[in-house]
Amino acid sequence: MSKVLTTESTVTCGHTRAPQPPPPPPALPPPLGPGLVTLRSTQKLHVEGVSVLVTADVVGATITGCPNVESPQKPCTVVTSATGESVKLRTGGAPVLLDRLTITADGTVPVPLGLEPTAGQSKLTSV
């Protein structure tokens, strides 16, 4: 079972300078960091009072601080696609996103393999 992603989850483009352990679940929105995806949602389904995410919430989201800036590369600035949806749990007719999320961004270097978003919650899981 995978954890459901919410607006308090941590999702990055994956271009970090050094591997970093996942941060603990934030009490407040996470600070801007390397390649951090800005997460927003208007879904009615909540986990611990926080909105869950669907693909439409992530595709088109802004990415700030991508360290992939050395010429001729282009840093990631926006999410262009996202996969990793639940096959069972839906909100507003759309499947929720899970912590097996894989994103594609507009940067010139492919996103590294093994990107693992941090759900930031442990109450709601799905397949």
Side-chain angles (χ1 to χ4, degrees), residues 1-4 85-90 96-100 121 123-127:
M1 294 275 234
S2 298
K3 293 182 177 87
V4 174
E85 301 170 326
S86 171
V87 294
K88 293 188 176 188
L89 184 60
R90 302 171 88 73
V96 300
L97 288 175
L98 303 174
D99 63 359
R100 62 178 178 235
Q121 62 84 22
K123 299 261 185 208
L124 184 60
T125 59
S126 185
V127 291

Side-chain angles (χ1 to χ4, degrees), residues 93-121:
V96 300
L97 288 175
L98 303 174
D99 63 359
R100 62 178 178 235
L101 175 72
T102 301
I103 67 168
T104 304
D106 65 340
T108 54
V109 176
V111 172
L113 297 176
L115 171 66
E116 293 183 16
T118 303
Q121 62 84 22

Side-chain angles (χ1 to χ4, degrees), residues 3-88:
K3 293 182 177 87
V4 174
L5 296 180
T6 70
T7 54
E8 287 191 358
S9 299
T10 301
V11 178
T12 68
C13 69
H15 293 121
T16 56
R17 295 187 199 280
Q20 300 175 355
L28 300 172
L32 297 181
L36 188 66
V37 177
T38 303
L39 302 174
R40 293 185 175 88
S41 175
T42 58
Q43 301 304 314
K44 292 183 179 182
L45 178 61
H46 292 82
V47 180
E48 297 179 325
V50 181
S51 296
V52 301
L53 296 173
V54 298
T55 301
D57 296 326
V58 175
V59 173
T62 303
I63 300 172
T64 54
C66 176
N68 186 33
V69 295
E70 294 182 27
S71 183
Q73 289 101 352
K74 175 191 178 298
C76 300
T77 59
V78 69
V79 176
T80 56
S81 70
T83 59
E85 301 170 326
S86 171
V87 294
K88 293 188 176 188

